[in-house]
Amino acid sequence: MSTTGATADPLATLGSLPGVAESVESVRKAVDRVYGHRIMRRRSNAVTSEAALRGARGSGALSGADWSLEEVRRRTDFSGDDEARVLGAALRLTAEAGQLLSVWRQSPLRVLARLHLVAAAGTEDSVGRPRQEGEGVDEPLIELALPGASEVSGRLEGLSELVVAGSSAPALVTAAVVHGEILALRPFVSHNGLIARTAERIVLVGSGLDPKSVCPAEVGHAELGRAAYRAALDGYVSGTPEGMAAWIAHCAGAVGLGARESTAVCEALQRGAA
């Protein structure tokens, strides 16, 4: 998505695309069902904790570490191999997201840099900053052409300006654009998928749509599968109204599935079986 120049509020323009209003409404209803569950009045912290774990598992699965929830819950050491490190990064990012909500509204680029630092957990010069010309990207799931460093810089600045300026667009639209733009740009040398999905979570929580972070879109993205994820991203990158609407609808479906997952958690807690 080109984030500069066309209108004063391009995100609001996306919100008026055919089918987007329906996607937004479906998400609102799904989120409202979770928040209206009686268990949320007494044990919302338990639901939030479980959603965080399941969201990290889902995000890790999309980045190549498709572990069972039981294995993620059982494991204490995430340093052993590549898959373990991916899951460890996903868990760290999920824990970090809640600490960055206020910073996001003021400096999205600072938050993205922090997320890469947390995910990479390294001291290399490439950690915590956008990639430079000539640096490659380790992101096997996404096979799109890689934008150059100068394009990345310009589009990240444009995205940051949109976030800081605010928009009348629904939170779902903003979250989908932030997610899609990071995936399309892959601004860091690694962990871009994990970071994109964490940024989506930050927008959904910080906007007030899901303030307790109990509707993990990452669960839904994983359930919809890698092929659907890539196909929807192709639509985003195309920049066409149909493609953008399809990506937003895909993200809406993911949030809805995350909400369904947490509704099941609420039911299990109510039965005393979670």
Side-chain angles (χ1 to χ4, degrees), residues 53 181 231:
L53 185 70
E181 194 72 357

Side-chain angles (χ1 to χ4, degrees), residues 52-66 86-87 89-91 93-94 139 141 179 191-198 201 217-222 226 229:
L53 185 70
R54 296 181 183 217
R57 192 219 72 83
S59 193
L62 281 173
S63 286
D66 192 2
V86 167
L87 256 301
L91 289 164
L93 286 172
T94 299
E139 198 66 50
L141 174 65
H179 184 169
H191 300 92
N192 291 287
L194 296 176
I195 290 168
R197 293 183 287 275
T198 304
R201 173 188 285 267
E218 304 96 322
V219 167
H221 287 302
R226 290 186 179 188
Y229 193 62

